Amino acid sequence: MAKVKHDMELRPNPRTGRYRLISANWKMNLNHLEAIQAIQKLNFLLRPADYSYAEISIHPPFTDLRPLQLLIDSDRMRISLGAQNCHFETSGAYTGEISAPMLAKLNVTHVIVGHSERRQYFCESDEIVRAKVEAVFRSQMTPIICVGESRDEREKGLTEDRLRSQVDAAVSFLAPELAERCVIAYEPIWAIGSGVSAKPEDAHQGAVAIRSVFEALWGNDVANKVRIQYGGSVHPTNAADFMELDDIDGLLVGSAALDPESFARIIQA
Ligand code: PGA
């Protein structure tokens, strides 16, 4: 089972045995002063029961990581620190990039890899995503690997093929003890930032396709340990519809996670 921070308090989902993970992807929002305020407010709003229900990771911009690390440590917050991206090399002549060991040194525990915005705007190929997954594991962190189909692919009936090929490309090289620690975020591209989420049955079908890749590669045991998040226009009013599904172990939340009150309501939903 995935190693999680604060495992004393965190309880697995009794139906699945997996630890839930609810993550906030702040994208390119909130400077370090705004980030400090947001996380203090979130910590004030969350109750011990929320931290037992799910591990909570916040993925701010790189410039917020150090101040948030200091705050989380000094106030003993039970929030896990995450990043939105990293480079696949450890160090070197890669102007403007941040490596996985640099993030690990800041107590970052989770790194989003292959978000559709990175695939689309920064030309991240399946090969790059794969190399980043490897880099995240080399630094003993957990990758949150994003996969999802475009509207066009969905309309052509290619959703499951697309998901299977993205997952296979990102994880097939892993040893089983690392494969089972992966988190996969199923984020239909058409649902991201659109205000219209997938239907719970679509999320279920996506999760089944994703888990089937792990089953084909490593068998049931590994497949049953992998955690799958849903992401794409998650709000306080629809969060519970996804969290009720046995296949869905958590959420990756964008715009609704920028406001601490709305993110707390998602966790408490
Ligand atoms: P959204 O973004 O919640 O704003 O749709 C989700 C994401 O991109 O991870």
Side-chain angles (χ1 to χ4, degrees):
M1 180 49 66
K3 207 168 145 266
V4 289
K5 199 178 168 189
H6 321 304
D7 45 1
M8 291 303 290
E9 303 92 354
L10 187 61
R11 297 209 189 91
N13 180 341
R15 296 199 307 270
T16 64
R18 294 188 289 268
Y19 292 98
R20 301 178 186 93
L21 173 65
I22 301 184
S23 305
N25 175 12
W26 284 359
K27 309 192 181 185
M28 197 172 70
N29 295 292
L30 307 186
N31 64 38
H32 74 283
L33 299 174
E34 294 163 336
I36 287 169
Q37 281 189 342
I39 213 155
Q40 278 173 329
K41 186 157 181 198
L42 180 66
N43 190 51
F44 172 78
L45 292 168
L46 293 177
R47 300 280 154 256
D50 302 325
Y51 292 109
S52 321
Y53 174 74
E55 182 175 20
I56 296 156
S57 68
I58 302 288
H59 300 251
F62 288 135
T63 50
D64 300 356
L65 287 174
R66 177 65 172 159
L68 291 190
Q69 178 211 6
L70 293 174
L71 184 61
I72 287 171
D73 282 358
S74 69
D75 288 13
R76 293 169 194 269
M77 292 181 187
R78 292 191 258 165
I79 292 168
S80 299
L81 195 54
Q84 299 172 17
N85 181 34
C86 69
H87 195 266
F88 50 82
E89 291 292 352
T90 303
S91 63
Y94 299 97
T95 302
E97 292 294 318
I98 306 281
S99 74
M102 292 171 181
L103 297 176
K105 206 73 185 162
L106 290 164
N107 293 349
V108 166
T109 51
H110 298 72
V111 184
I112 297 172
V113 177
H115 190 280
S116 63
E117 286 151 17
R118 296 216 54 89
R119 293 181 193 254
Q120 188 182 343
Y121 305 133
F122 302 96
C123 308
E124 276 192 15
S125 63
D126 279 345
E127 291 68 44
I128 293 176
V129 171
R130 181 191 178 100
K132 290 186 176 188
V133 169
E134 203 176 0
V136 170
F137 275 129
R138 269 201 313 270
S139 289
Q140 279 79 49
M141 299 181 291
T142 300
I144 298 179
I145 305 163
C146 300
V147 296
E149 80 287 1
S150 65
R151 184 177 299 284
D152 191 47
E153 287 162 339
R154 169 157 289 264
E155 281 164 4
K156 289 186 177 137
L158 298 173
T159 300
E160 287 170 26
D161 287 350
R162 185 79 189 116
L163 296 181
R164 275 196 283 263
S165 80
Q166 284 181 325
V167 174
D168 186 81
V171 305
S172 60
F173 68 100
L174 292 170
E177 49 287 5
L178 291 182
E180 68 182 38
R181 289 179 44 205
C182 286
V183 177
I184 308 290
Y186 171 40
E187 299 207 301
I189 297 170
W190 48 272
I192 295 175
S194 67
V196 182
S197 70
K199 295 196 193 81
E201 53 268 36
D202 298 331
H204 163 74
Q205 272 173 9
V208 169
I210 289 165
R211 218 176 281 287
S212 75
V213 177
F214 286 87
E215 198 178 338
L217 288 166
W218 297 285
N220 237 323
D221 236 34
V222 167
N224 285 333
K225 287 179 183 157
V226 168
R227 293 180 294 166
I228 300 177
Q229 295 178 315
Y230 168 76
S233 296
V234 172
H235 294 284
T237 48
N238 63 14
D241 300 342
F242 297 105
M243 292 305 290
E244 271 165 12
L245 303 170
D246 280 351
D247 288 308
I248 299 294
D249 307 297
L251 303 166
L252 181 55
V253 188
S255 57
L258 287 173
D259 170 22
E261 263 173 42
S262 113
F263 190 50
R265 271 167 44 223
I266 285 172
I267 296 163
Q268 290 158 355

